[in-house]
Amino acid sequence: MRSSGDKDKNRGVSLQLNNLHQRLLHALSLGTRYYDEKTSQWKWQSANIEVQKQVIRSIDVFLDFVSGDARAAHHTVAKDSVADILGALLWILQCKSRPLLCMAANVAVKLVCVLPNSILESYILDLVYVLSSLLSSPFVEVAIPCSTCLNLVISNLNASSAKAVWEVLKQTECVIHILGNIHKFVGGEIPMKIEYFEQMCSLLGSILLWWPPTRFPVWNDVKLIDTLSDMHARTDISTKLVILKLYTSLALCGSVAKKLIENGEIFLQMVVQSMGKSYPDTVRIEGFRLAQCLLRSQENCLKVMDTCGEALVDAIIFGMEEIEMHSRKFVNKNSSTSVEACRLALVTRWAGDHHIRFWKKRIDRVLLNLLIENIQDLSEEHVSSLDKQISIAREGLRTNHKLWVRGYVWDILGSLAIHSGENFNPCIHGSEIYINLIIICACLTFEDVIKKWCRIYHKEVDDSIQSEPASRAVLMMIYSPCNYISSQARLIFSRTYSADHFRNLVHTLEYTSSLESYGSFDKIQLIINLIGLISFLSLPHHHTLESKYIKKVAFIAKRCLGNDIDISRLSLASHLHATLYENSCCWMDAEDWEGSNILLFYALWGLAEMVHQSASLQNSSHISIVAIEYFGAQLVGKLIEICSNASLGHGLRWYAAHILSHFEFYGFPNELAKRVGICLDEKEYADIQLFLANGNTLSVHGVILAVRCPSLLPPELLLVKEKRIDGQSIREVRLSSHVDYEALVKLLEYVYMGYFRASEEIVKKVKTLAKRCNLQLLLQMLHRQSPKWGASFPSFDLTSSLVSAGSCFWDVILESKLDKLERWTCRICSHSVPHLHVHKVILQSGCDYLQGLFRSGMKESHSQIIKVPISWEATRKLVHWFYSNELPKPPCGCLWDNMDDEQKLFSLESYVELYWLSEFWILEDVQEACWNVIVSCLDNAKQLSIKILKMAGDFSLWKLADVAATHLAPSYSQLRDSCELDDLDDALVHLICSASIQLSQNG
């Protein structure tokens, strides 16, 4: 119950609030209050400046009282006053009096600061409109509080209001006014304080943070970017902070982040310096956040590390060392320098040389201090025994309550382990006792995780901060390429696990995998069980590998492949969630090596280890039984599909290929190779004859060997003897007597098809030949070496043959139609029409039409020039598809959004041409790819639909015309009345009209 004193205080608050409210109402009564039916709101107006001043003062006093008592803001009187206050304030903010505007703008700031967002929500759009309109005010004392108030409104915005607010900001040209104000400040047109610049930059940063479409245009404002560069050297903390925040908002666009890095060393040095100890935490936090945005992809990370890697790692280490003592209280992640430094340290997940830098800077000591407090005075002499170390680690983990940072520690530790080289010894840069204690801490945590997640009926998902990250870290240490880390991890893991652990784990895995459907808990349990099983498999004396284990893991993989189970790592590890990235754009290459379905990744890893151990037992019959009973042709086919799917994670594809190698499939299946492989048995277009010492000969295609296995060709191929066979020029290549015929046949299958199938006996011979031909990736697969974490999956790409690699094998010219290209020249020949030198064998392998043309015996089949009735741009895209199986895509994201209509149309025209040609040439894959591009672009640029509709009509592409007409249907009446349809044929206009009628009928 409330005390009488509390009641008296509340009564006093109500009395004072009522008095102030009455004064406010009295002031408002001097003007006119009316109800606006359009907006369904009460509004106020008065042309008398003195009345306006009195109203502003009354509002100011009222808000002062409300701000002085937290209870007053939620009082009924305060809530009921909002409509009156805003009605008057919005009217006064539209007046012309400079002093009055200044007063009103400052009161608006106070209003937004004092009243809760929920109370102001229904008035936000009107307030944003007025404030945004005043940003262009020539009066600094008006523009500054307006920008401050607008910044507060945007910073506290909710997602449901964002779209409507953005429309208002566009209508008032808010961003244009802000940029203009910054230009005025730089040009000194108006005497302004630095506060003006800071407020404008801060507001611009908030806008960029919320609305991605603003980022690229702002980046393209050269004067602004030059200004920011000039301001880097300023020592003002407030200025430094707003510049960093503005850069962070810009860098949320992947295209802008890439350009910022390309700006060079000065910018990157500024970013790194801002993380240093000489700056306050607010600046350092923003420096870390900016660096996180810049280093979201491996490509960006490596570029930055090459430029200022040493200083960057120093800054990260210093930041991680500053973990505050928080006892059991959860730290505010958004205000912690140490957490932001830990989050930036996750760049260790990318492959590269920067891991050595972290070891040199004693990352082992930093990580251990995050796990165990007061560990600095540890002496190796007193803790030499493993039992003593385990005891210290167990007690340290129990008494350290900074659980919020452990997810980062485990991820950083796992990444450092998996990216360390075979002969790397971390003790060279660190302390053996520190490194051992970190490994022990991870294994002890993993032991607790296994105990908890092996309870079948335990359905509470708790302690998710470290369950999956700690398990993953132990797995990555156990399978680390580094001999020291791997051996230590296995030794310690073998000491912390028991036979009961293994039995419980397998029992839980069997139960969970048999469920018909999966909830969040079940998915996490499956992942923990899989990680545990894979870890146990690494031990020399683990339980007998029974076929039922393989069956269960294979079953999980099959369900994942059937889209029954799909779970991302982001949904498991809460520390990976960053609200900063929620409104990011144009980031296309930030996916981790494991891919998007982490359960499938672990299932394939588990299968790979199981099958590998089965093979090591030299029990090939057991493998065959497993293959027939549990894998079957369907799953093997699925694994080949995984390898061929370029959209999947590189790790998934590597493990799929690794598993296939245990079933006599060696190499890297690929969609392009599937096409090109058909040519292997065809002597047509074969321009090289390989002669073996035993008299056998093989006819091959020089262009394919030149790209895929150049070691089979003599260095001076043009000097090799030629002869004519059936009118075709053939080069003879005599191979060494050491080359085995069977091995060569299989090697050529790999060269043409990306992979081959062979028995162990033949594989031994292929190993020798592959080694002589320096085919390292094939050798890795032939020796069934485990995939290297972070390695890119090998591609089958023949585009290099369009330049130097295959130049001596060109046998046909692909000539595009004449277009607007001026001064077109070829460095190979004097032919003046735009063209490409290509290879018949590649073209006919991907196109039945061209295959028929070349074999027809007609005039075209003997011609050195094939005319293609499409533009040069379309021809280049087509040839790229022939040689890579990928159709180049148009600019996307911000790059596309900021192109003008003419540029967008030029980009799309080539896809429409290709869509038409692919129908004529029966190129279904190209047609589908073009269709997807065109439809996607029309969705984002409907104003192009008329032009695309006209092109579709000219080419008689009626399916495409229907789509364009559907986009135009909602605006049919306006287009007809404005005569914009006059250039179209009647049939096309009828299509739009019909689509419009159908749209209206469907509501």
Side-chain angles (χ1 to χ4, degrees), residues 671-699:
E671 286 299 319
L672 177 59
K674 191 185 297 184
R675 276 202 275 123
V676 174
I678 300 173
C679 304
L680 178 59
D681 297 324
E682 295 181 0
K683 293 187 177 181
E684 202 167 7
Y685 314 115
D687 46 12
I688 290 180
Q689 200 162 26
L690 301 177
F691 284 82
L692 284 85
N694 63 1
N696 287 322
T697 62
L698 289 168
S699 297

Side-chain angles (χ1 to χ4, degrees), residues 393-662:
R394 197 182 297 277
E395 179 63 18
L397 290 172
R398 187 183 67 79
T399 57
N400 186 351
H401 303 293
K402 292 181 291 206
L403 299 180
W404 42 268
V405 79
R406 289 191 184 175
Y408 298 106
V409 172
W410 302 136
D411 270 9
I412 295 165
L413 177 61
S415 297
L416 288 169
I418 207 70
H419 288 299
S420 294
E422 181 180 354
N423 299 317
F424 173 72
N425 186 351
C427 300
I428 295 175
H429 306 294
S431 166
E432 183 176 352
I433 184 64
Y434 277 58
I435 294 168
N436 288 350
L437 280 172
I438 296 172
I439 298 174
I440 292 170
C441 286
C443 289
L444 290 175
T445 305
F446 187 31
E447 179 189 17
D448 292 338
V449 169
I450 290 176
K451 288 179 182 177
K452 182 181 66 178
W453 290 96
C454 284
R455 302 176 204 161
I456 290 175
Y457 300 107
H458 175 67
K459 292 295 183 182
E460 183 183 351
V461 184
D462 59 352
D463 198 18
S464 60
I465 294 175
Q466 59 176 335
S467 288
E468 189 273 345
S471 307
R472 181 175 183 267
V474 173
L475 182 65
M476 295 172 88
M477 288 191 294
I478 287 174
Y479 287 93
S480 169
C482 174
N483 290 326
Y484 180 87
I485 294 176
S486 177
S487 60
Q488 285 297 110
R490 294 181 189 192
L491 171 64
I492 295 166
F493 181 66
S494 66
R495 290 287 298 272
T496 57
Y497 98 100
S498 67
D500 289 339
H501 289 150
F502 184 76
R503 282 193 294 270
N504 292 338
L505 186 148
V506 172
H507 177 58
T508 310
L509 181 64
E510 290 178 351
Y511 167 77
T512 312
S513 63
S514 65
L515 295 175
E516 292 184 6
S517 60
Y518 295 96
S520 298
F521 175 88
D522 303 309
K523 291 177 181 178
I524 300 174
Q525 194 169 45
L526 270 176
I527 286 172
I528 299 299
N529 294 158
L530 274 175
I531 293 175
L533 181 60
I534 300 168
S535 301
F536 282 122
L537 290 174
S538 69
L539 302 181
H541 303 296
H542 68 78
H543 290 65
T544 304
L545 183 61
E546 299 180 25
S547 61
K548 66 177 181 180
Y549 302 156
I550 301 182
K551 179 180 179 180
K552 291 300 178 185
V553 178
F555 180 69
I556 294 170
K558 288 177 72 173
R559 291 192 66 170
C560 289
L561 291 169
N563 297 320
D564 241 6
I565 322 171
D566 191 348
I567 181 169
S568 67
R569 183 158 190 263
L570 193 62
S571 63
L572 300 175
S574 57
H575 65 285
L576 297 178
H577 287 274
T579 54
L580 179 64
Y581 299 151
E582 287 178 359
N583 284 326
S584 60
C585 59
C586 301
W587 284 99
M588 308 299 291
D589 55 349
E591 186 180 85
D592 287 333
W593 190 70
E594 305 98 304
S596 59
N597 191 340
I598 194 67
L599 182 57
L600 175 59
F601 175 78
Y602 286 130
L604 291 184
W605 189 347
L607 281 177
E609 291 302 321
M610 290 175 172
V611 175
H612 179 72
Q613 292 196 18
S614 295
S616 66
L617 297 173
Q618 297 182 351
N619 187 355
S620 58
S621 61
H622 175 69
I623 296 176
S624 300
I625 292 171
V626 171
I628 295 169
E629 188 175 352
Y630 302 132
F631 281 78
Q634 184 181 4
L635 185 53
V636 170
K638 282 286 186 181
L639 292 174
I640 292 175
E641 285 181 22
I642 290 175
C643 294
S644 303
N645 191 341
S647 65
L648 293 177
H650 290 276
L652 281 175
R653 300 169 72 192
W654 263 112
Y655 274 109
H658 185 58
I659 295 168
L660 287 171
S661 70
H662 289 283

Side-chain angles (χ1 to χ4, degrees), residues 937-955:
C937 289
L938 285 181
D939 288 340
N940 295 306
K942 294 183 180 180
Q943 68 276 14
L944 302 179
S945 296
I946 292 181
K947 298 289 186 182
I948 298 301
L949 178 63
K950 189 175 188 308
M951 285 190 69
D954 293 340
F955 285 116

Side-chain angles (χ1 to χ4, degrees), residues 146 175 277 292 319 344 387 418 440 466 468 509 575 611 658 699 713 777 878 970-971:
C146 283
V175 174
K277 290 185 176 180
Q292 290 164 25
L344 181 56
D387 289 336
I418 207 70
I440 292 170
Q466 59 176 335
E468 189 273 345
L509 181 64
H575 65 285
V611 175
H658 185 58
S699 297
L713 300 176
L777 292 174
L878 177 63
S971 52

